[in-house]
Structure formats: structure tokens, C-alpha cells
Amino acid sequence: MRNIIPALIGIGACCAAAGANAQTIDWQVFAEPFVSTAHAQSIDWQKVDETLGRKPAVTDDVHRYGFPRSDLTVTLDGVTIKPALALGGWVAFKPVHDGVMAMGDLVLLEPEINPVMMKMIASGLQITAVHNHLLRASPATFYMHIAGHGDPIKIATAIRDGLAESKTPLKVTAPATPPPAPDLDTAQLDQIIGVKGKATGGVYQFNVPRRDPISQEGMQLSPGAPLGLAIGINFQPTGAGKAAITGDFVLTSEEVNPVIMELRTHGIDVTALHSHMLDEQPRLFFMHFWANDDAVKLAKGLRAALDKTASSKS
């Protein structure tokens, strides 16, 4: 609200200077945040939680539910991948004027793709991408991006029923012992990457927001990180100061090749380049990467690549 009031004052001043009157202003633009808040309060989030069988992480008005593939043992270049590194499926719900906008990224094995897809589309959800994020992983994992718009309970039910066609765990079980803190110089990594990371599931994760606004269906997609629109960088310790890194850069078209050049120059493999959505503005491309080397060295390479993007430092 503090951000909206100055904007309204500024618009009013501009209109007065131009001789405009209030009847010519589309006040719906300014009402949208209040409408979203009202709808967020009217949604039965407990029912959504019960349908999906888990509690969300809540950031502003976005509820994000994790679906990690803790049932899988995936290895790549001798590294056993933790779910928080590259196997963390998720679905996020953002309130809109007629329900919610939902988007997500589900981790699947090859035989699971079409059964899950058929169940999802039969329930009215959209499939917006299916692709790899990693190379050489065993077993190979694929990533299905989904979208929905409407009643949150119906969407949650469709997601649950779709995932039931896979072996994705639908019941949350707490680990017997919490994973140890990542054995890395996280303070130095924070300084190099330029934002504060956080430890999750034995992995040190960064979300680096973009500076430019991103919209879909006329609505700004904010906050970006829980909606999958921040640059994601994950470090999994592999011993002796080394780490396996993966994640994705969120890029506009003119940023793609400069980032490729920086990553490859610093010994970081580019493993995928593709879209995740269908009609976002501006058009975005998602670049996935992989390396296993000295963590500080890799962080410097990632920082060089970040400097080619319109991303923010804290």
C-alpha cells in the first residue's frame, strides 16, 4: 500500500497538469492489488493444503507447495543429487480476481510423462513445457511445467490426481535427522553472488531477482522467486571445498548468448535452453547449467554470468 499511494499521487498530478478528469482514468489498474488481497483472504487455503497433502511456503500472496522426488536416487558425474539441488518439483498459487493463477514444475521419469500429462489436461490444466534440465543423469529426469487458472480447490485436485499417475510422494514424511549445514564457505559465496543464500536440504540455494517486471495475462507476476521467475543457483557440497552446481538463469533474448559465453569460459556446462511459459511478457528463456568444481571458483563464474543480466544485488 505504501508503494501504491505515491503512484496514485503522481498519476493525479500528471492528469491535473494535462487537464484530464477522473472519468478518463482506468482506476482498475490501481485496484488490482486490493482485489488480489481480498481474494487471497477469501480462499480456503486449509482446504488447498489438505488437498495437496502438505503446507506451503508463503511469500506475500503466493502459496508455493513443494513436491520433491525424495523417492529417486539420481546420480550425475558421480554425484548423488539431493532433491533440493535439482529434483524439487513445485506448484505455486497466486490469487487473481476470479480464483488463482497456478504454475509449477514437476519432476518426472520418462514413463511417467504421458500418464501425468493426460490426467492434467483432462482436468483442464495446461502443459507449457516438457524437457530436460540435466545431461548424463541416471536415471534421466524430465521436467513438466504446468499452468492453471480458476478455482484453487479444483486446480489442487487436478494436480494431486495428475501426480498420482507418477511415483511422486504424495505424503510428506520428515527426515529421521535433519541434514547437516552445507560444508561450504557460505559467507564468501554470499559476497560473490551478491545476495544472501539459504541452506535447504543440505544444499545452499540462491534466488537472484530480475529488475524488470514480468507479466502474464495482464497481471504482474510478483513476487518472482516463488513463481519460478528468479535466477536460481544451487550449491551441493562434494567435499574438499568443491560443490556441484545447477539451477537456471532467467533471461531475455539479448542476454542468452552473453551468458552462455561467460558460463562456458568459466568451465560451467550449459545443459538446456528453453521456455517455461507460453505468453509471458517480456519473453523469457531459461538456461540450465552444471559443474562440479571448487565452489568459490564456480561462484565467480556465475557472478560473471549474472553481470550479463538485468538482475539485482542486495
Side-chain angles (χ1 to χ4, degrees):
M1 190 169 190
R2 289 192 299 270
N3 294 331
I4 293 170
I5 291 173
L8 291 174
I9 293 172
I11 292 290
C14 290
C15 291
N21 58 63
Q23 292 178 338
T24 65
I25 302 172
D26 182 5
W27 295 103
Q28 184 177 1
V29 173
F30 307 107
E32 180 62 40
F34 300 104
V35 172
S36 179
T37 300
H39 279 282
Q41 293 172 345
S42 68
I43 292 171
D44 187 348
W45 288 113
Q46 183 176 347
K47 183 65 174 175
V48 177
D49 298 352
E50 291 171 355
T51 303
L52 293 175
R54 62 207 64 223
K55 291 289 186 181
V58 181
T59 306
D60 295 344
D61 64 345
V62 174
H63 289 229
R64 176 169 164 140
Y65 298 83
F67 291 91
R69 290 303 301 259
S70 55
D71 60 309
L72 299 177
T73 300
V74 178
T75 60
L76 171 53
D77 294 347
V79 177
T80 299
I81 295 174
K82 295 181 183 295
L85 181 68
L87 304 174
W90 58 272
V91 177
F93 290 71
K94 180 176 177 65
V96 294
H97 67 278
D98 55 353
V100 296
M101 174 187 292
M103 58 183 63
D105 181 10
L106 309 176
V107 184
L108 301 172
L109 297 177
E110 185 174 352
E112 298 172 338
I113 293 173
N114 277 287
V116 172
M117 180 185 292
M118 291 302 295
K119 196 73 171 182
M120 294 280 186
I121 61 177
S123 300
L125 296 180
Q126 288 187 314
I127 309 302
T128 61
V130 179
H131 46 228
N132 67 291
H133 288 178
L134 303 170
L135 300 174
R136 306 183 303 278
S138 179
T141 52
F142 297 86
Y143 300 79
M144 180 182 293
H145 294 264
I146 62 170
H149 191 160
D151 179 79
I153 307 302
K154 290 182 179 178
I155 292 174
T157 301
I159 292 166
R160 181 198 64 202
D161 292 349
L163 284 174
E165 298 295 317
S166 73
K167 293 184 179 179
T168 302
L170 296 180
K171 292 184 179 180
V172 178
T173 56
T177 58
D183 184 18
L184 297 168
D185 186 347
T186 56
Q188 189 173 9
L189 296 181
D190 290 348
Q191 183 179 21
I192 295 169
I193 298 299
V195 300
K196 176 67 175 174
K198 69 173 184 177
T200 302
V203 174
Y204 201 61
Q205 300 181 331
F206 293 93
N207 281 300
V208 184
R210 290 190 59 85
R211 296 193 299 269
D212 46 349
I214 300 165
S215 64
Q216 187 174 25
E217 299 179 9
M219 169 173 284
Q220 186 167 333
L221 298 178
S222 176
L227 294 170
L229 298 174
I231 295 169
I233 296 172
N234 301 328
F235 286 74
Q236 178 179 314
T238 55
K242 297 175 66 175
I245 61 167
T246 190
D248 57 350
F249 279 78
V250 185
L251 305 170
T252 55
S253 58
E254 65 272 14
E255 295 170 342
V256 168
N257 280 283
V259 169
I260 288 177
M261 288 295 294
E262 290 295 344
L263 292 176
R264 295 303 302 125
T265 297
H266 289 86
I268 300 170
D269 289 346
V270 174
T271 59
L273 173 64
H274 45 229
S275 61
H276 286 182
M277 298 177 287
L278 299 177
D279 54 0
E280 76 282 2
Q281 294 293 329
R283 192 77 173 114
L284 297 175
F285 300 88
F286 295 77
M287 186 183 298
H288 300 265
F289 56 89
W290 169 266
N292 181 20
D293 204 340
D294 179 79
V296 172
K297 172 188 170 183
L298 293 176
K300 291 177 179 177
L302 292 165
R303 181 66 256 172
L306 286 167
D307 288 340
K308 300 298 182 180
T309 70
S311 58
S312 300
K313 286 185 179 182
S314 59

